[in-house]
Amino acid sequence: FENVTMRQLVGHLAGFPHDSDDYLRFNDSKKYKTLQEQRKAAALDAFSNPPINKPGTTFNYSNIGFIIAGHIVEVVSGMSWEEALAKYLYDSGGFTEYPYTNFTGAPDDKIDPFGHFEDLTPCDPSTNRFRCDNVPYYGPCGTFSGPTAALQAYYSFHLRCHNGVDTTGLLSQKSCIELHSPADKSIPEDPGYWYGFGWGITHRSWAGGDEGLVFTHAGSNGLNYHNVWVAPGINRAFVSYTNSARDVDFYMLDSAIEVVLDPLHANDTIATVAMYTLKRTCTPIVLGCLPTGLQA
């Protein structure tokens, strides 16, 4: 692994497996006092095994690759990944609402919906925290969540930055376009679909602009699902989410995006289809389309 690059780590091209064997053993606050120590231990363990394929040659989705990338940020910055994210992204970018990097039912556990297991049994984080989300040290690859407004602001930033109209000075337009490009276009994840820096990269006829460029991400912690499609050519982002993570929910979320693409919502920068429970214990349902009218 000595020649593996950061680009390969965050492009799932570094030759690491999906997860480490028995990855829960690093979630031990007695043995590893901080999340940085847990990530370091997970990284060293991953480096102790041979690559599953030659780095830089094959796409292989890898959580451990992102954990290693997050720990590199910790080593370089001298702070935890969570602290670095707050300082260099949210504070520097002038975000007024933060996503949270570990779901515990906060900040308002009276309204936050519970995630649901496959049989639609709800998971209460106040009594079962680590079953209701990925383990905390998985932050760089799977604990990013938050209120709708915070995620909307984040996607709106990506639109503004890609289109050269962002005023935060956080990233140059060139850097943003690179973040929204394949890590290696010669290695597609699927035909016509590439992966780059946290985004799936593809093209859609409705997306306009640069050959219908869209970048998308569907993320789940096993109990919730979130789906976003960002189309800089029409200056729009489309978001859907639900507090369940069955296979059928992914298709429901994509179907919800199709609803948002209705011409009625053509003037909304970010339209949100909110899919979550009216009560914490009921089956997830579609509440409808909630256009925000935010301007990029």
Side-chain angles (χ1 to χ4, degrees):
F1 291 108
E2 61 181 0
N3 294 318
V4 164
T5 66
M6 178 67 90
R7 188 183 191 91
Q8 290 169 344
L9 285 170
V10 296
H12 296 308
L13 302 171
F16 288 103
H18 192 286
D19 293 285
S20 298
D21 292 337
D22 190 21
Y23 67 91
L24 291 176
R25 72 186 187 277
F26 302 115
N27 183 43
D28 184 342
S29 59
K30 293 181 179 179
K31 186 174 182 179
Y32 309 107
K33 301 299 183 184
T34 65
L35 291 178
Q36 295 100 303
E37 290 182 12
Q38 292 179 16
R39 291 179 186 127
K40 179 180 179 179
L44 291 175
D45 177 76
F47 283 125
S48 71
N49 297 295
I52 61 173
N53 45 59
K54 183 179 178 181
T57 65
T58 306
F59 177 89
N60 188 72
Y61 193 96
S62 175
N63 287 325
I64 188 61
F66 264 79
I67 291 170
I68 293 170
H71 184 57
I72 290 173
V73 170
E74 293 177 330
V75 172
V76 172
S77 68
M79 59 185 73
S80 71
W81 171 79
E82 290 80 3
E83 292 168 336
L85 194 68
K87 179 178 180 179
Y88 293 110
L89 179 60
Y90 296 110
D91 290 345
S92 297
F95 288 82
T96 57
E97 292 229 33
Y98 281 29
Y100 16 101
T101 52
N102 228 276
F103 179 74
T104 60
D108 188 347
D109 62 6
K110 294 181 180 179
I111 62 171
D112 276 3
F114 289 165
H116 288 72
F117 295 106
E118 182 72 22
D119 63 359
L120 294 182
T121 301
C123 188
D124 182 350
S126 68
T127 59
N128 209 358
R129 177 182 175 188
F130 294 123
R131 289 193 67 198
C132 295
D133 198 2
N134 291 318
V135 293
Y137 84 85
Y138 256 52
C141 66
T143 64
F144 188 82
S145 61
T148 297
L151 296 173
Q152 286 175 336
Y154 179 71
Y155 299 140
S156 186
F157 161 74
H158 276 276
L159 278 171
R160 295 194 309 271
C161 190
H162 187 102
N163 289 328
V165 295
D166 180 58
T167 59
T168 66
L170 189 62
L171 288 174
S172 68
Q173 183 183 21
K174 180 180 179 181
S175 294
C176 275
I177 290 174
E178 185 68 16
L179 284 176
H180 304 150
S181 302
D184 188 331
K185 198 164 186 179
S186 70
I187 308 175
E189 180 178 354
D190 289 303
Y193 187 93
W194 295 264
Y195 189 89
F197 316 108
W199 298 102
I201 315 295
T202 190
H203 299 84
R204 290 292 185 269
S205 59
W206 51 262
D210 183 15
E211 299 181 342
L213 172 70
V214 290
F215 43 99
T216 179
H217 187 87
S220 173
N221 65 352
L223 293 100
N224 303 274
Y225 229 127
H226 183 92
N227 188 26
V228 59
W229 288 74
V230 184
I234 57 173
N235 200 34
R236 302 288 184 271
F238 304 97
V239 186
S240 59
Y241 48 87
T242 183
N243 58 332
S244 176
R246 300 163 298 170
D247 289 342
V248 68
D249 292 318
F250 170 75
Y251 298 104
M252 289 171 60
L253 295 186
D254 258 2
S255 296
I257 295 293
E258 293 178 10
V259 173
V260 181
L261 291 172
D262 187 284
L264 286 174
H265 307 295
N267 293 323
D268 298 315
T269 299
I270 298 180
T272 302
V273 173
M275 301 177 66
Y276 50 85
T277 62
L278 287 174
K279 295 181 180 179
R280 287 179 156 185
T281 57
C282 68
T283 302
I285 60 173
V286 178
L287 296 184
C289 182
L290 305 175
T292 66
L294 295 177
Q295 295 301 309

